[in-house]
């Protein structure tokens, strides 16, 4: 199982697994630069050939809903880490 940690004073992430995907609710608390990083992640996924891998929905007040297909979950979490939205990512058995 993949686990991750984030700084709750900077960003808050909640996830809920469904049958075919995982829904992330992401709230950028106080660093506007992280909104730019989320937009970069969105562009990265939009540039590939799979249009239903990760879907982004932006809301006011730096809130985002992201729907990620199960087979792209690890890739999405690693992109969050790559863009420094997470403190750590770890495999647990």
């Amino acid at each position: 199982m993949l686990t991750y940690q984030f700084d709750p004073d900077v960003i808050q992430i909640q996830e809920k697994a469904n049958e075919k995907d995982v829904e992330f609710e992401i709230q950028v608390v106080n660093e506007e630069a992280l909104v730019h990083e989320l937009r970069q992640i969105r562009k990265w996924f939009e540039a590939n050939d799979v249009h239903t891998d990760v879907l982004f929905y932006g809301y006011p007040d730096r809130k985002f809903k992201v729907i990620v297909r199960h087979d792209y979950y690890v890739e999405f979490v690693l992109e969050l880490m790559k863009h420094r939205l997470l403190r750590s990512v770890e495999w647990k058995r």
Side-chain angles (χ1 to χ4, degrees), residues 20-31:
K20 294 183 180 182
D21 53 43
V22 179
E23 292 183 17
F24 287 85
E25 291 184 11
I26 300 173
Q27 168 78 50
V28 176
V29 177
N30 65 7
E31 290 192 32

Side-chain angles (χ1 to χ4, degrees), residues 41-71:
I41 295 169
R42 179 182 187 168
K43 285 180 186 179
W44 192 87
F45 280 103
E46 286 178 349
N48 70 18
D49 293 335
V50 182
H51 299 291
T52 59
D53 53 355
V54 178
L55 303 173
F56 282 81
Y57 300 93
Y59 297 97
D61 298 327
R62 300 184 299 254
K63 292 182 183 178
F64 297 85
K65 182 175 184 178
V66 185
I67 301 172
V68 180
R69 281 187 3 198
H70 282 293
D71 51 336

